[in-house]
Amino acid sequence: MKTRIAVRNLRLCTKDCLCLYVCPTGATDTEDSIIDISKCTGCGDCADACPGGAISMVPLEYPPQQKKEDSVLTESYRMIKNKATQEKTAAQIAASTDDDALYRLMTAVARSVRLVNEDLLRESGYMLPQSGNTHALLHEWAENPPADDFPVEAARKLLELIPDNDA
Amino acid sequence: MKYVCSICGYVYDDSAEGIPFSELSDSWVCPLCGAAKSLFSPPKTTAGSITPARTDPTEAAPARTTAAHSTEEMHRLTAGELSALCSNLARGCEKQYKNEEAGLFREIAAYFAAVTPDEPDGDLTHLLSLFENDLTTGYPAVQSAAQTAGDRGTQRVCVWGQKVTVILNSLVQRYQREGSAFLRNTQIWVCSVCGFAYVGNTPPELCPVCKVPAWKFDKIEGRNSA
């Protein structure tokens, strides 16, 4: 059974096309340059042959997520709350201003703060979609949706698609 | 005399420049990353210059009632926090080339963003006080907890997040001081990896905070061009 698949980064691909020559199943030869994962056997010959380093082998299964200390999480979650408030504040100012410069500045701030917050959350127990933490949230939403208009089907579908590595 | 940019490390050397640093106007910014003049300081002379700025141990985290509530707290995240949590997981799926899963997480992130209640103090002064709070207490507290626990991932988050917060703080302060003139006829760019914000016609060749190339920057569109 294959444990990994080849993916091509189009930004790095210099069209040397060695992947076409070495692929035993023709998986790399497609009209949209995206490697056909149904044909890919995970052998890695294309990644080894690629002179541009544009192909990498992505695992199909991921290891359990690294554990975090409670002492760090407590401080990080305080910061996560602040960042969410900052993002909302900036978005509100952007929505209510007539000044195009302020609109752009606050849109930039809201986007920037969101990225910083995603980074904090990634390092605070939500790095892998396959983590037990992620699954606990998805289960909670699937079983007790927070509101009637919550997209509960999305949560259910994610539970089907993503394995729980910490189970 | 030399002055070092606290964001990107650019060195302004008086002996190599026509104008001494002290005589540069207050609107002068770092030629590499756009940081304000006030974010420059003389180089650290001690051997331990790798230590990030602002981690003065005397100022570090006040003792706090610890962990008891942390797990519980995590399970009661606000809508705004859950939106960021889900957009983070969407990015995690994208990195694994799982597009369907990424789309589903984005859908949940959008739901939580839509139901996030307005902040009662939605003005620039309040925004600046929130940045200031992160810089004086928030980051030092996370940094010190991460150092004690030997958590280098979280220390990295602090290095990046602190620099990005300093830049945002500085840009918003400048807007309050000078109005919108410095943003007219130019662009605002945000690094799609770390969130670093840059004012200029083209983005920097390398992100001064996380070092990704220029194409990783997104241009912030105005309301009319969007």
Short mmCIF file of all heavy atoms in Angstrom, two decimals, chain A residues 109-138:
data_model
loop_
_atom_site.label_atom_id
_atom_site.label_comp_id
_atom_site.label_asym_id
_atom_site.label_seq_id
_atom_site.Cartn_x
_atom_site.Cartn_y
_atom_site.Cartn_z
N VAL A 109 -4.62 45.66 8.48
CA VAL A 109 -4.43 45.30 9.90
C VAL A 109 -5.25 44.05 10.23
O VAL A 109 -4.75 43.11 10.85
CB VAL A 109 -4.82 46.48 10.83
CG1 VAL A 109 -4.88 46.02 12.29
CG2 VAL A 109 -3.83 47.63 10.68
N ALA A 110 -6.53 44.03 9.78
CA ALA A 110 -7.38 42.88 10.09
C ALA A 110 -6.78 41.60 9.49
O ALA A 110 -6.72 40.56 10.15
CB ALA A 110 -8.80 43.11 9.55
N ARG A 111 -6.29 41.69 8.24
CA ARG A 111 -5.72 40.50 7.61
C ARG A 111 -4.44 40.06 8.33
O ARG A 111 -4.22 38.88 8.59
CB ARG A 111 -5.44 40.75 6.13
CG ARG A 111 -4.93 39.49 5.49
CD ARG A 111 -4.99 39.41 4.00
NE ARG A 111 -6.14 40.05 3.38
CZ ARG A 111 -6.18 40.34 2.09
NH1 ARG A 111 -5.15 40.08 1.32
NH2 ARG A 111 -7.25 40.91 1.56
N SER A 112 -3.60 41.05 8.63
CA SER A 112 -2.33 40.76 9.29
C SER A 112 -2.55 40.11 10.65
O SER A 112 -1.93 39.09 11.00
CB SER A 112 -1.56 42.07 9.43
OG SER A 112 -0.49 41.93 10.31
N VAL A 113 -3.47 40.68 11.44
CA VAL A 113 -3.73 40.15 12.78
C VAL A 113 -4.32 38.74 12.67
O VAL A 113 -4.00 37.86 13.47
CB VAL A 113 -4.67 41.09 13.57
CG1 VAL A 113 -5.12 40.44 14.86
CG2 VAL A 113 -3.98 42.41 13.86
N ARG A 114 -5.16 38.50 11.67
CA ARG A 114 -5.71 37.16 11.48
C ARG A 114 -4.57 36.14 11.25
O ARG A 114 -4.55 35.06 11.82
CB ARG A 114 -6.69 37.15 10.30
CG ARG A 114 -7.08 35.76 9.77
CD ARG A 114 -7.80 34.89 10.78
NE ARG A 114 -9.10 35.42 11.14
CZ ARG A 114 -10.27 34.85 10.82
NH1 ARG A 114 -10.28 33.73 10.14
NH2 ARG A 114 -11.40 35.40 11.20
N LEU A 115 -3.59 36.55 10.42
CA LEU A 115 -2.48 35.63 10.15
C LEU A 115 -1.67 35.36 11.41
O LEU A 115 -1.26 34.22 11.67
CB LEU A 115 -1.58 36.22 9.06
CG LEU A 115 -2.20 36.20 7.65
CD1 LEU A 115 -1.47 37.16 6.72
CD2 LEU A 115 -2.16 34.79 7.08
N VAL A 116 -1.44 36.40 12.20
CA VAL A 116 -0.71 36.23 13.45
C VAL A 116 -1.49 35.30 14.39
O VAL A 116 -0.92 34.44 15.05
CB VAL A 116 -0.46 37.60 14.12
CG1 VAL A 116 0.08 37.43 15.53
CG2 VAL A 116 0.51 38.44 13.29
N ASN A 117 -2.81 35.45 14.38
CA ASN A 117 -3.62 34.61 15.27
C ASN A 117 -3.66 33.16 14.79
O ASN A 117 -3.62 32.24 15.61
CB ASN A 117 -5.04 35.18 15.40
CG ASN A 117 -5.59 35.01 16.81
OD1 ASN A 117 -4.86 34.61 17.71
ND2 ASN A 117 -6.87 35.29 16.99
N GLU A 118 -3.71 32.97 13.48
CA GLU A 118 -3.66 31.60 12.96
C GLU A 118 -2.36 30.93 13.39
O GLU A 118 -2.34 29.76 13.76
CB GLU A 118 -3.73 31.61 11.42
CG GLU A 118 -5.12 31.95 10.88
CD GLU A 118 -5.14 32.03 9.35
OE1 GLU A 118 -4.05 31.93 8.73
OE2 GLU A 118 -6.24 32.18 8.80
N ASP A 119 -1.28 31.72 13.35
CA ASP A 119 0.03 31.20 13.73
C ASP A 119 0.04 30.80 15.21
O ASP A 119 0.54 29.74 15.59
CB ASP A 119 1.06 32.31 13.45
CG ASP A 119 2.48 31.77 13.35
OD1 ASP A 119 2.67 30.55 13.30
OD2 ASP A 119 3.41 32.61 13.33
N LEU A 120 -0.54 31.66 16.06
CA LEU A 120 -0.63 31.35 17.49
C LEU A 120 -1.44 30.07 17.72
O LEU A 120 -1.05 29.21 18.50
CB LEU A 120 -1.32 32.51 18.23
CG LEU A 120 -0.46 33.66 18.72
CD1 LEU A 120 -1.31 34.91 18.94
CD2 LEU A 120 0.26 33.27 20.01
N LEU A 121 -2.58 29.96 17.03
CA LEU A 121 -3.44 28.80 17.21
C LEU A 121 -2.76 27.52 16.71
O LEU A 121 -2.90 26.45 17.32
CB LEU A 121 -4.77 29.02 16.50
CG LEU A 121 -5.70 29.97 17.26
CD1 LEU A 121 -6.64 30.72 16.35
CD2 LEU A 121 -6.49 29.19 18.32
N ARG A 122 -2.01 27.65 15.63
CA ARG A 122 -1.28 26.51 15.09
C ARG A 122 -0.31 25.96 16.14
O ARG A 122 -0.16 24.75 16.29
CB ARG A 122 -0.52 26.95 13.83
CG ARG A 122 0.25 25.84 13.14
CD ARG A 122 0.60 26.21 11.71
NE ARG A 122 1.11 27.57 11.56
CZ ARG A 122 0.56 28.50 10.79
NH1 ARG A 122 -0.51 28.24 10.10
NH2 ARG A 122 1.10 29.69 10.71
N GLU A 123 0.32 26.88 16.88
CA GLU A 123 1.29 26.46 17.90
C GLU A 123 0.62 26.18 19.24
O GLU A 123 1.28 25.97 20.24
CB GLU A 123 2.37 27.53 18.07
CG GLU A 123 3.37 27.60 16.92
CD GLU A 123 4.31 26.40 16.85
OE1 GLU A 123 4.44 25.66 17.85
OE2 GLU A 123 4.93 26.20 15.78
N SER A 124 -0.71 26.26 19.29
CA SER A 124 -1.41 26.06 20.56
C SER A 124 -2.37 24.88 20.50
O SER A 124 -3.48 24.94 21.04
CB SER A 124 -2.17 27.33 20.95
OG SER A 124 -1.29 28.43 21.02
N GLY A 125 -1.95 23.82 19.84
CA GLY A 125 -2.75 22.60 19.84
C GLY A 125 -3.57 22.37 18.59
O GLY A 125 -4.29 21.38 18.51
N TYR A 126 -3.47 23.27 17.61
CA TYR A 126 -4.26 23.08 16.38
C TYR A 126 -3.38 23.16 15.15
O TYR A 126 -3.71 23.81 14.17
CB TYR A 126 -5.40 24.11 16.31
CG TYR A 126 -6.43 23.85 17.39
CD1 TYR A 126 -6.35 24.50 18.62
CD2 TYR A 126 -7.44 22.91 17.20
CE1 TYR A 126 -7.27 24.23 19.63
CE2 TYR A 126 -8.36 22.63 18.20
CZ TYR A 126 -8.27 23.30 19.41
OH TYR A 126 -9.18 23.02 20.39
N MET A 127 -2.23 22.46 15.20
CA MET A 127 -1.37 22.43 14.03
C MET A 127 -1.93 21.49 12.98
O MET A 127 -2.07 21.84 11.82
CB MET A 127 0.05 22.01 14.40
CG MET A 127 0.99 22.02 13.21
SD MET A 127 2.71 21.76 13.66
CE MET A 127 3.13 23.27 14.50
N LEU A 128 -2.30 20.28 13.40
CA LEU A 128 -2.75 19.28 12.44
C LEU A 128 -4.27 19.16 12.42
O LEU A 128 -4.89 19.00 13.48
CB LEU A 128 -2.15 17.92 12.81
CG LEU A 128 -0.69 17.69 12.44
CD1 LEU A 128 -0.18 16.40 13.06
CD2 LEU A 128 -0.50 17.64 10.93
N PRO A 129 -4.85 19.19 11.23
CA PRO A 129 -6.29 18.90 11.14
C PRO A 129 -6.58 17.50 11.68
O PRO A 129 -7.70 17.22 12.12
CB PRO A 129 -6.58 18.97 9.64
CG PRO A 129 -5.44 19.74 9.05
CD PRO A 129 -4.25 19.52 9.93
N GLN A 130 -5.57 16.64 11.68
CA GLN A 130 -5.75 15.25 12.15
C GLN A 130 -5.58 15.12 13.67
O GLN A 130 -5.50 14.01 14.18
CB GLN A 130 -4.72 14.33 11.46
CG GLN A 130 -4.90 14.16 9.97
CD GLN A 130 -4.15 15.20 9.16
OE1 GLN A 130 -3.73 16.22 9.68
NE2 GLN A 130 -3.99 14.96 7.86
N SER A 131 -5.48 16.23 14.40
CA SER A 131 -5.22 16.14 15.84
C SER A 131 -6.49 15.80 16.62
O SER A 131 -7.61 16.04 16.16
CB SER A 131 -4.66 17.47 16.35
OG SER A 131 -5.65 18.47 16.26
N GLY A 132 -6.30 15.27 17.82
CA GLY A 132 -7.42 14.99 18.71
C GLY A 132 -8.17 16.27 19.07
O GLY A 132 -9.40 16.26 19.21
N ASN A 133 -7.43 17.37 19.23
CA ASN A 133 -8.08 18.65 19.55
C ASN A 133 -9.07 19.06 18.47
O ASN A 133 -10.20 19.47 18.75
CB ASN A 133 -7.03 19.76 19.70
CG ASN A 133 -6.23 19.61 20.97
OD1 ASN A 133 -6.62 18.89 21.87
ND2 ASN A 133 -5.09 20.30 21.03
N THR A 134 -8.61 18.97 17.22
CA THR A 134 -9.49 19.33 16.10
C THR A 134 -10.72 18.43 16.10
O THR A 134 -11.85 18.89 15.93
CB THR A 134 -8.75 19.19 14.76
OG1 THR A 134 -7.61 20.04 14.79
CG2 THR A 134 -9.63 19.59 13.59
N HIS A 135 -10.49 17.14 16.32
CA HIS A 135 -11.61 16.19 16.32
C HIS A 135 -12.60 16.46 17.43
O HIS A 135 -13.81 16.35 17.24
CB HIS A 135 -11.09 14.75 16.36
CG HIS A 135 -10.87 14.22 14.99
ND1 HIS A 135 -11.72 13.35 14.38
CD2 HIS A 135 -9.90 14.52 14.10
CE1 HIS A 135 -11.28 13.11 13.15
NE2 HIS A 135 -10.18 13.80 12.97
N ALA A 136 -12.08 16.84 18.61
CA ALA A 136 -12.98 17.13 19.72
C ALA A 136 -13.92 18.29 19.35
O ALA A 136 -15.13 18.23 19.61
CB ALA A 136 -12.17 17.48 20.96
N LEU A 137 -13.36 19.32 18.70
CA LEU A 137 -14.19 20.45 18.29
C LEU A 137 -15.23 20.03 17.26
O LEU A 137 -16.41 20.37 17.35
CB LEU A 137 -13.31 21.54 17.68
CG LEU A 137 -12.73 22.61 18.58
CD1 LEU A 137 -11.93 23.60 17.74
CD2 LEU A 137 -13.83 23.36 19.32
N LEU A 138 -14.77 19.28 16.25
CA LEU A 138 -15.68 18.86 15.18
C LEU A 138 -16.82 18.01 15.73
O LEU A 138 -17.98 18.17 15.33
CB LEU A 138 -14.91 18.09 14.10
CG LEU A 138 -13.94 18.91 13.24
CD1 LEU A 138 -13.10 18.00 12.35
CD2 LEU A 138 -14.70 19.93 12.38
#
